[in-house]
Amino acid sequence: ITGPILRASGVEYDIRKEEPYAGYENYEFDVPVGKHGDCYDRYLCRVEEMRQSAKIILQAIEGLPEGPVLLDDYKSSIPEKQGVLTGMEQLIHQFIVITEGPKAKKGGEYYFRAENPKGTLGIYAVGDGTNHPQRLRIRGPSFMNLSILPKLLPGHMLADVVAILGSFDFVMGEADR
C-alpha cells in the first residue's frame, strides 16, 4: 500500500521526502503518520496532508520570481491564453505543442513516480523515437491500495466495510485499468 493509507498505518514514507523531485527538497513540510491504521487515522492523515499541501503552496508562491512564467522559446511553450482565444495561428500552435509532446529516444526506458493524493503514481515508458511511446504502463495507487482488502476485511462487520472502503478513497476506473 502507498500514500495516506500506508502512513496512517505508522510508516513514515513519502516519495517527496525520500526521493525529492520537482523541487520538493526546497520546501519545508511534515509527513503525517498515524498509529493505528484504522479509518480514523486515514481521515486524520488526509486532513493533515491538506494542511501540509497548503504550506507547500504558500512557500512556492513566496519563491516565485518576478516576471513572466512561460519559456521564451516559442516552439516549446504554449501561447498566452488570450492569443489562443482570439488568433487562429496561436490556436494551431497550442494544438501542435500539446498533441505532439516530447520525443523519447528509441529503446530508451523511462520510469517516474510521484506522490499522489491517493498514493504513489508510477509511469513507465519505452521510447520508439517518436512522440508516441512503444510501451506505456501507468501504475495507479488505487489498484495497489485495494490489494490489501482481503487481509484487512476478515473479522469486520459488514456495516464496517462501507467506512473502510470510504476511507481508502479509491477510484474504481483507475483500479480497473
Side-chain angles (χ1 to χ4, degrees):
I1 57 175
T2 66
I5 298 172
L6 177 67
R7 291 188 283 278
S9 299
V11 179
E12 186 176 349
Y13 183 81
D14 189 316
I15 295 173
R16 298 170 299 176
K17 289 276 192 182
E18 301 298 322
E19 301 170 27
Y21 60 92
Y24 276 110
E25 65 275 5
N26 302 320
Y27 303 119
E28 191 66 38
F29 64 97
D30 298 321
V31 177
V33 180
K35 295 179 180 148
H36 308 289
D38 59 3
C39 293
Y40 189 60
D41 267 355
R42 289 190 281 278
Y43 163 76
L44 291 175
C45 279
R46 284 198 169 90
V47 170
E48 184 56 30
E49 285 189 353
M50 287 188 279
R51 288 188 185 104
Q52 295 303 319
S53 292
K55 188 175 171 182
I56 293 169
I57 290 168
L58 290 175
Q59 292 174 64
I61 290 171
E62 289 172 5
L64 282 176
E66 295 291 324
V69 294
L70 292 176
L71 294 172
D72 289 333
D73 182 10
Y74 179 76
K75 291 183 177 185
S76 303
S77 63
I78 60 173
E80 291 189 27
K81 188 66 173 176
Q82 188 59 34
V84 172
L85 296 174
T86 58
M88 182 56 74
E89 290 176 4
Q90 289 90 341
L91 178 65
I92 292 170
H93 176 70
Q94 175 177 309
F95 178 78
I96 289 170
V97 169
I98 298 295
T99 57
E100 283 190 8
K103 292 184 168 119
K105 185 174 78 173
K106 185 173 181 149
E109 292 187 48
Y110 306 90
Y111 184 73
F112 178 76
R113 63 186 188 152
E115 195 67 39
N116 183 294
K118 297 179 187 319
T120 302
L121 174 69
I123 299 173
Y124 171 75
V126 177
D128 66 354
T130 70
N131 58 340
H132 302 287
Q134 176 184 349
R135 177 169 171 74
L136 178 68
R137 173 77 172 104
I138 299 174
R139 179 196 177 275
S142 290
F143 178 73
M144 298 310 293
N145 287 341
L146 286 174
S147 67
I148 193 76
L149 289 178
K151 300 279 186 193
L152 180 68
L153 293 179
H156 285 89
M157 308 231 359
L158 188 56
D160 296 333
V161 173
V162 175
I164 292 169
L165 290 177
S167 71
F168 269 56
D169 188 29
F170 63 91
V171 175
M172 204 59 213
E174 177 189 303
D176 194 33
R177 185 179 335 146

